[in-house]
Amino acid sequence: MSRSLVIAAALVCVSCGGRVVPLPDAPVVRSRGGLASMTLTATRGPNGRDAFRFDGRDVPPAIRIAPGETLKIHYVNALPVPPEPALHSGQMNMTNLHFHGLSVSPERPQDDVLDMTAMPGEALDYTLVIPRDHLPGLHWYHTHPHGESHQQVLDGMSGALIIEGIERYAPAVRNMRERVLVIRAIDIEHDPKASARRARVGVEQSRCGESHDQVDRVFSVNSVLRPEIAMRPGERQFWRIVNAAPDRYVDIEMPHQRLEVVAYDGLPIAYHDPEHPTRQVNHVLLPPAGRVEAIVTAQEPYGRTVLRTRCVDTGADGDPNPGMILADVVSTQTASPPPPEPAGVASATPPAFTVVDVQHAKQEPPHFTVVFSEDKKGFYINGQKYSPDAQPMVRAKVGELQHWRIVNNSRELHPFHIHQVHFLAYLENDRPLPDPHWLDTVNVAVGGSVDVIMDFSDPIIRGMSVFHCHLLNHEDKGMMAKILFE
């Protein structure tokens, strides 16, 4: 039996044969006395799927930590030593961790994805010191071994990571019921029950975009296929959503309802735009790794709706990305009341607001241009495949704002991501975006371009890091490059 078929077979209970399954919460790791400490193990279960093992269960924990605190992770690689045929094909079962979105050092023992790698039987010790001025918001952690990150993240080796204190910038969420939704992709390419799973989530039958391939991914939320989210009529909840799929987009909507967005990619809107701290939107496109934090209002009176993803046209060479249902949302009087503790950590400190003057950087020609391209032999940035021994493709002086242009010279979408840094995306195909956002991952249209202002002003961010396409199968095949912060 192929590995993908074994993995799909392990997900039979997830579909639950149409039975209603409430949205589950992940176990939570919190700090005590300023320190959050945990042991995380990379394992391969009897179902053939790689997983994070924590506290006796193959369920990745959500990490919650406040600015000024320290996170320590003892990460053990208990994956099997691969047989000789796998070694010849490049599968080494090495692993490591990336703390996506965190403003921490790219050097050991923090967010180092270049030199911190564990082979089977080895372990890594991470110590991340969260800066006292770190902004609150939703981030996530996932494996990042070049060449093997796609399969590990597809298997589910990821989890939410929250920096507390969002209520400083969005006071309305303080007493709301909080939901953390981790959207993952399930590979059903060789699953004998693929048709039933597509039917379970209502995969749209009409062709989405130009791809003629069979739909080989469906989405789960917190590892459940189409769970139910209960709300009381008229209740407002605070939802924190991450697209943890390694290679698929989600365009989130709740039909006939608007989302009140508080933050994108872990950055509160109010930090840079205090006069307009939220956005009322009908839908949000999240590329792989994208996050959104939004207030959701239940129907009044009782009723039922869905959280769904719309069709995303990924281009002629892209993978099928049709619309489907992510979760059922039920408005009922029997829904549990909000927990007694508020979302985030209460703070008497007034929020800090920073309006960054980017006009000068916008007027400068691009300091650097990133060009995504591909052919039958692989995926490239500026005509080069990533190599571990490569020199940095670009250097950035700490303290600068830089104008970068990202160009997509291919026939499929590519999401651009850079480690350690947020940027303002303000032009698309040389036209001003109507509502520019600060992000750490941005979609680049087929044959198009995006202009961004990179914020390299954080003095903590020094050393060698990377930027890449966050379709992780593309990153694994060469679409990554180094940047030196100096």
Side-chain angles (χ1 to χ4, degrees):
M1 183 179 290
S2 71
R3 183 170 178 230
S4 57
L5 182 55
V6 172
I7 292 169
L11 295 166
V12 170
C13 65
V14 172
S15 69
C16 301
R19 179 168 57 86
V20 172
V21 180
L23 179 75
D25 293 321
V28 178
V29 172
R30 298 181 186 273
S31 62
R32 293 183 178 179
L35 173 65
S37 182
M38 60 183 283
T39 295
L40 194 65
T41 303
T43 65
R44 179 164 300 164
N47 55 22
R49 181 173 63 91
D50 291 347
F52 284 146
R53 190 160 187 82
F54 169 75
D55 201 21
R57 299 169 58 200
D58 291 346
V59 180
I63 301 170
R64 306 191 70 117
I65 191 167
E69 297 183 329
T70 298
L71 171 63
K72 289 190 174 184
I73 300 178
H74 181 60
Y75 184 46
V76 179
N77 186 351
L79 295 172
V81 176
E84 285 296 326
L87 286 171
H88 290 308
S89 67
Q91 180 189 341
M92 302 175 68
N93 287 344
M94 59 184 175
T95 191
N96 60 10
L97 296 176
H98 168 45
F99 303 93
H100 187 120
L102 287 193
S103 298
V104 296
S105 171
E107 297 188 334
R108 182 185 294 263
Q110 301 203 57
D111 192 18
D112 180 357
V113 300
L114 295 173
D115 297 320
M116 290 185 73
T117 304
M119 302 303 293
E122 298 179 342
L124 299 169
D125 286 291
Y126 290 91
T127 301
L128 288 86
V129 180
I130 309 301
R132 292 187 178 276
D133 59 353
H134 200 294
L135 289 171
L138 172 66
H139 306 290
W140 66 302
Y141 63 98
H142 62 86
T143 58
H144 206 292
H146 181 67
E148 301 190 56
S149 59
H150 176 261
Q151 186 62 57
Q152 290 182 8
V153 174
L154 181 61
D155 281 357
M157 298 180 75
S158 62
L161 196 162
I162 293 170
I163 303 297
E164 303 280 28
I166 191 71
E167 79 287 348
R168 292 179 58 198
Y169 296 91
V173 310
R174 185 183 299 274
N175 294 308
M176 288 182 187
R177 171 73 179 270
E178 180 183 301
R179 306 267 193 184
V180 179
L181 282 65
V182 180
I183 298 172
R184 298 187 178 94
I186 299 174
D187 183 0
I188 60 169
E189 184 176 6
H190 302 289
D191 184 355
K193 295 188 177 181
S195 295
R197 303 200 196 290
R198 294 188 192 102
R200 165 77 176 168
V201 297
V203 172
E204 291 180 349
Q205 297 302 308
S206 58
R207 187 161 60 88
C208 174
E210 301 178 60
S211 176
H212 293 272
D213 296 336
Q214 178 65 270
V215 176
D216 59 356
R217 299 279 197 278
V218 293
F219 293 112
S220 69
V221 183
N222 295 1
S223 300
V224 174
L225 207 62
R226 194 173 174 174
E228 182 177 276
I229 303 174
M231 304 176 72
R232 289 173 290 114
E235 180 187 4
R236 284 154 58 82
Q237 292 187 356
F238 181 43
W239 291 8
R240 314 181 92 161
I241 305 172
V242 53
N243 180 5
D247 56 5
R248 293 295 187 271
Y249 287 77
V250 291
D251 192 354
I252 291 172
E253 71 170 358
M254 291 177 66
H256 313 298
Q257 292 182 249
R258 292 171 70 82
L259 306 174
E260 185 178 351
V261 177
V262 168
Y264 292 102
D265 283 3
L267 200 67
I269 295 173
Y271 180 70
H272 286 299
D273 192 1
E275 298 299 320
H276 308 91
T278 64
R279 297 291 189 272
Q280 296 279 347
V281 300
N282 294 318
H283 66 102
V284 181
L285 176 65
L286 293 183
R291 287 94 68 211
V292 66
E293 297 169 78
I295 297 169
V296 177
T297 303
Q299 293 189 87
E300 181 80 68
Y302 311 119
R304 178 180 290 269
T305 186
V306 294
L307 177 70
R308 68 185 311 276
T309 174
R310 310 191 324 174
C311 156
V312 179
D313 181 359
T314 61
D317 289 346
D319 295 311
N321 215 133
M324 67 186 74
I325 297 171
L326 301 171
D328 292 293
V329 184
V330 180
S331 179
T332 171
Q333 198 62 49
T334 61
S336 301
E341 63 178 298
V345 173
S347 172
T349 306
F353 299 106
T354 297
V355 179
V356 178
D357 185 1
V358 297
Q359 294 308 312
H360 178 73
K362 287 181 178 180
Q363 293 167 5
E364 294 289 324
H367 177 89
F368 183 64
T369 298
V370 177
V371 180
F372 288 142
S373 63
E374 58 186 84
D375 58 26
K376 293 181 179 180
K377 296 181 180 180
F379 297 83
Y380 311 90
I381 293 181
N382 294 359
Q384 301 178 38
K385 278 189 177 182
Y386 173 79
S387 172
D389 58 0
Q391 294 298 306
M393 184 175 285
V394 63
R395 297 169 183 259
K397 291 189 178 297
V398 176
E400 290 184 335
L401 297 176
Q402 287 187 3
H403 174 190
W404 283 28
R405 173 168 291 173
I406 303 103
V407 177
N408 181 357
N409 279 353
S410 78
R411 302 201 307 163
E412 64 177 310
L413 299 183
H414 292 288
F416 169 87
H417 170 58
I418 184 168
H419 290 205
Q420 277 76 47
V421 171
H422 278 80
F423 50 79
L424 177 68
Y426 71 98
L427 287 180
E428 184 174 41
N429 300 331
D430 295 319
R431 298 185 186 92
L433 287 165
D435 186 20
H437 300 307
W438 289 86
L439 308 166
D440 64 33
T441 307
V442 67
N443 181 53
V444 189
V446 173
S449 65
V450 175
D451 284 63
V452 305
I453 303 300
M454 292 285 180
D455 185 356
F456 296 134
S457 62
D458 191 339
I460 290 175
I461 312 303
R462 295 180 183 273
M464 193 75 75
S465 191
V466 296
F467 55 93
H468 58 88
C469 172
H470 217 287
L471 297 175
L472 293 181
N473 53 340
H474 294 179
E475 178 267 313
D476 279 347
K477 295 175 182 177
M479 201 171 267
M480 183 167 81
K482 294 180 183 178
I483 177 172
L484 180 61
F485 299 111
E486 57 184 3

